[in-house]
Amino acid sequence: MIDFCIGGAPKCATTAVAKYLGQHPDIFFSEPKEPYFYASEALNKQVMSPRMSRSEYESLFANKAEHQVAGEGSTYYLHLAERVAPLMAADNPDLKLIFCVRDPVERARSHYNYAFSRMGPYMPNGAGRPMPFAEFVRDETMFEMGNYAKHLETYFDTFGRDNVLIVLFTDIRKNLSDTLSRICRHIGVDPQFDYRKPETTNRTKYPKYHRTIRQFDRALNLVYPHLPVKMRNALLLKRRDLLFAVDGDKYQLTDEERADARALYRPSVEKLQTMIDRDLSHWLTDDREKTSSH
């Protein structure tokens, strides 16, 4: 089974880290990056995650060389810690874990933009209307994705603090080489490797034709509930490809929305900085990620 796993939350650079590590000759990373195996029971009802059998999962690592360490990753493993950690520990109690985390307010803002381009009015509440950010960040799943302290505590208790490495989003953006070396030492491979920059993936697209989007969404509301799942997904992807662009209009939080979200996450952030012995005071103020482009 696997020797290490990368987790985190959506929009915390887990995909980028996985793509870099996958280049290392001593690392065998699963393809796809997110097989969702340990979360498959929790996600079984979601279209994105058809349940994978153990034999199917093990086949992902069939070509691993004897000298390589095997790994996979998922943005679902962190906020589903209470269900995922025991399953992982049953397979490998010495599993090495890497969790990428980000200012939870900035993470939620980035995810909000991403979700609107992908799902439009069918964001978490499924209400068939654009979802206000204040409502989005309070959706149970969305909130838990940024409630890092609660879920990391489960992994610390299950695997021990030394087996869990926490990587901040700003570490990746500002000190990529050192961060990758730190991860390699954590999982027991040579930290010296010359990585090439991988192709960009998961780029968020932003609204480009606002009036057309509103008209499209009104029409979509009439037919969406009656369509087969595959056709629903195809329509949403077509909507994104035609009406959104990388250089479109990003949704920026108002001062009130930002302050409200900061207050919401404050207890978790204060607990986390004690747990990992890192200064996260900038997550509690209006200081924003200077290097973030999402």
Side-chain angles (χ1 to χ4, degrees), residues 3 8 10 18 50 79 122 162 167 207 209 223 236 239 255 294:
D3 303 292
H79 76 277
Y122 301 96
D162 290 344
V167 175
Y209 306 104
V223 298
L236 290 174
R239 170 186 179 274
D255 290 344
H294 297 285

Side-chain angles (χ1 to χ4, degrees), residues 9-12 101-112 133 136-137 142-149 169 253 258 261-270 272 280 282-284 289:
K11 315 312 294 180
C12 289
V101 297
R102 178 181 186 178
D103 174 343
V105 176
E106 288 300 306
R107 190 217 71 79
R109 178 195 58 78
S110 182
H111 197 169
Y112 182 76
F133 178 79
F136 178 84
V137 78
M142 293 302 122
F143 172 75
E144 290 299 332
M145 283 181 173
N147 191 12
Y148 311 130
F169 182 79
L253 302 184
R258 188 176 296 279
R262 292 236 180 269
L264 188 66
Y265 280 115
R266 176 175 289 275
S268 179
V269 171
E270 290 176 340
L272 179 64
L280 302 177
H282 55 293
W283 288 9
L284 300 170
E289 296 166 344

Side-chain angles (χ1 to χ4, degrees), residues 150-287:
K150 171 185 173 182
H151 307 301
L152 287 172
E153 196 167 44
T154 297
Y155 282 105
F156 288 0
D157 291 344
T158 304
F159 292 95
R161 180 65 182 89
D162 290 344
N163 279 346
V164 184
L165 178 67
I166 309 303
V167 175
L168 302 188
F169 182 79
T170 47
D171 294 341
I172 299 166
R173 298 300 298 271
K174 295 179 180 180
N175 301 294
L176 177 62
S177 179
D178 289 346
T179 300
L180 292 173
S181 294
R182 189 155 54 101
I183 292 172
C184 285
R185 284 191 291 271
H186 180 66
I187 63 178
V189 300
D190 186 352
Q192 302 302 318
F193 182 71
D194 186 17
Y195 299 92
R196 67 183 185 279
K197 186 176 181 179
E199 182 180 346
T200 302
T201 58
N202 284 349
R203 294 196 70 179
T204 300
K205 290 188 175 183
Y206 306 97
K208 193 168 184 179
Y209 306 104
H210 291 273
R211 182 177 179 182
T212 306
I213 290 170
R214 288 194 296 271
Q215 292 172 338
F216 185 95
D217 287 350
R218 280 198 294 269
L220 188 61
N221 282 336
L222 298 176
V223 298
Y224 188 87
H226 310 291
L227 298 175
V229 169
K230 286 186 178 180
M231 191 173 292
R232 291 181 185 181
N233 292 339
L235 277 173
L236 290 174
L237 286 174
K238 183 63 69 175
R239 170 186 179 274
R240 176 178 181 265
D241 291 342
L242 293 177
L243 305 178
F244 291 73
V246 172
D247 60 350
D249 297 328
K250 299 179 183 179
Y251 182 81
Q252 301 294 350
L253 302 184
T254 65
D255 290 344
E256 182 179 356
E257 287 173 329
R258 188 176 296 279
D260 180 60
R262 292 236 180 269
L264 188 66
Y265 280 115
R266 176 175 289 275
S268 179
V269 171
E270 290 176 340
K271 183 175 182 179
L272 179 64
Q273 64 181 356
T274 299
M275 288 172 61
I276 66 174
D277 195 25
R278 292 285 298 266
D279 178 13
L280 302 177
S281 58
H282 55 293
W283 288 9
L284 300 170
T285 68
D286 283 337
D287 292 341

